[in-house]
């Protein structure tokens, strides 16, 4: 699912011309070289995920030892715009899943798989945050990644505002919410917004009309894995739409 670009000049050219293709850039631990510094500074400015790796790991990623201390993983996946998704909805009442910053590729892949099975229109990610959509995500999705439309939002706040303007309700999963998820009307055009692992969802992007919904917990555990929570809510949406 990923192509690899390595070498200082090649990665610098890529980041200056096609930054949207880059999922993550890996650097050697010593980034004192001027071009490595330039790549690192530009990547951070553009909110491209970066990481450090030992030379052996960089050689493994690049497939060659002459990587000059930097490798960029580039997605071969087609990303759609919000307009492209809404122009060709899968449902008369569209259902979109928004994942603003999940870091576990297994969670992202599992949610994509369930979203596809439940008939969702798209899964939207936040550019520069969370795990890259890589081979692990594809494996965890069990092939669903080939069928689910993906979109990258440059701004979560602006993306949600645009979807609200298009008539969507925003339903945010929150274990502290008063409303049970079964009390939500999922037959309306809906954005299902899931929080980060271990952190939940920041409320700064939410507005007064948005819906907070929880899964009731009868046992000793306080919450469920984010992919399980998304799965339960997606299938509740499908149940209501099939009724």
């Amino acid at each position: 699912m990923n192509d690899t670009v390595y070498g200082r000049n090649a990665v610098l050219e890529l980041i200056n011309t096609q930054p949207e293709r880059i999922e993550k850039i890996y650097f050697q631990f010593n980034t004192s070289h001027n071009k490595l510094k330039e790549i690192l500074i530009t990547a951070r400015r553009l909110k491209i995920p970066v990481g450090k790796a030992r030379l052996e790991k960089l050689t493994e990623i690049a497939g060659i030892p002459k990587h000059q201390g930097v490798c960029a993983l580039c997605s071969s996946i087609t990303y759609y715009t919000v307009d492209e998704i809404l122009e060709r909805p899968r449902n008369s009442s569209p259902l979109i899943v928004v994942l603003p910053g999940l870091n576990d590729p297994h969670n992202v892949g599992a949610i994509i798989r369930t979203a596809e099975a439940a008939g969702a229109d798209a899964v939207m990610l936040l550019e520069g945050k969370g795990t890259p959509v890589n081979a692990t995500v594809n494996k965890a999705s069990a092939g669903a990644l080939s069928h689910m439309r993906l979109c990258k939002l440059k701004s979560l706040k602006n993306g949600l505002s645009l979807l609200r303007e298009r008539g969507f309700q925003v339903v945010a999963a929150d274990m502290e919410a008063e409303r049970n998820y079964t009390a939500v009307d999922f037959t309306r055009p809906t954005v299902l917004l899931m929080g980060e692992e271990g952190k939940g969802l920041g409320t700064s992007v939410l507005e007064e009309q948005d819906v907070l919904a929880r899964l009731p917990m009868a046992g000793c555990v306080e919450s469920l894995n984010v992919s399980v929570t998304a799965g339960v809510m997606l299938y509740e949406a499908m149940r209501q739409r099939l009724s």
Side-chain angles (χ1 to χ4, degrees):
M1 301 307 295
N2 293 96
D3 300 321
T4 304
V5 175
Y6 56 85
R8 296 164 194 153
N9 289 333
V11 173
L12 188 58
E13 176 69 15
L14 179 68
I15 202 173
N16 284 327
T17 58
Q18 295 180 296
E20 71 282 353
R21 288 189 58 212
I22 303 173
E23 294 289 350
K24 190 167 185 176
I25 300 177
Y26 287 96
F27 295 86
Q28 65 186 32
F29 281 89
N30 180 5
T31 54
S32 59
H33 191 281
N34 286 339
K35 281 193 176 177
L36 290 180
K37 285 182 179 178
E38 184 178 353
I39 294 168
L40 181 60
I41 291 169
T42 307
R44 286 177 172 166
R45 177 172 56 82
L46 296 175
K47 297 182 179 180
I48 296 171
V50 298
K52 294 291 184 71
R54 297 185 182 279
L55 293 178
E56 296 82 3
K57 181 64 176 178
L58 288 173
T59 299
E60 179 184 334
I61 295 171
I64 188 172
K66 296 180 180 180
H67 45 66
Q68 297 183 315
V70 61
C71 297
L73 295 182
C74 304
S75 175
S76 57
I77 295 168
T78 299
Y79 288 94
Y80 295 80
T81 66
V82 174
D83 286 336
E84 286 172 337
I85 290 167
L86 298 185
E87 284 169 3
R88 295 177 55 205
R90 191 176 184 181
N91 304 282
S92 58
S93 182
L95 175 62
I96 293 172
V97 182
V98 175
L99 309 176
L102 297 188
N103 293 302
D104 187 336
H106 297 92
N107 282 335
V108 175
I111 292 173
I112 290 172
R113 181 181 184 181
T114 308
E116 164 60 24
D121 288 79
V123 173
M124 297 185 178
L125 311 168
L126 185 57
E127 191 171 288
K129 286 201 67 178
T131 183
V133 180
N134 53 24
T136 304
V137 172
N138 186 46
K139 184 177 180 181
S141 79
L145 188 58
S146 300
H147 305 285
M148 176 53 61
R149 291 182 293 178
L150 300 185
C151 172
K152 280 189 176 182
L153 301 174
K154 293 185 179 296
S155 163
L156 179 59
K157 184 175 182 179
N158 293 343
L160 292 179
S161 294
L162 174 60
L163 290 166
R164 290 187 192 100
E165 290 171 5
R166 301 293 183 89
F168 283 78
Q169 66 172 343
V170 176
V171 178
D174 187 335
M175 63 183 182
E176 302 296 333
E178 295 182 3
R179 185 180 308 198
N180 194 310
Y181 76 103
T182 56
V184 177
D185 179 9
F186 282 108
T187 63
R188 296 176 52 192
T190 298
V191 172
L192 179 58
L193 180 62
M194 306 302 301
E196 296 180 45
E197 301 102 335
K199 295 182 180 179
L201 183 68
T203 57
S204 60
V205 297
L206 299 177
E207 296 186 359
E208 187 176 349
Q209 71 269 26
D210 294 336
V211 178
L212 294 178
R214 65 177 176 85
L215 269 62
M217 306 298 295
C220 297
V221 297
E222 294 183 354
S223 64
L224 296 175
N225 177 279
V226 63
S227 65
V228 175
T229 300
V232 172
M233 298 181 80
L234 281 165
Y235 266 82
E236 172 62 17
M238 186 171 75
R239 183 194 69 79
Q240 291 185 21
R241 288 160 181 242
L242 293 175
S243 298

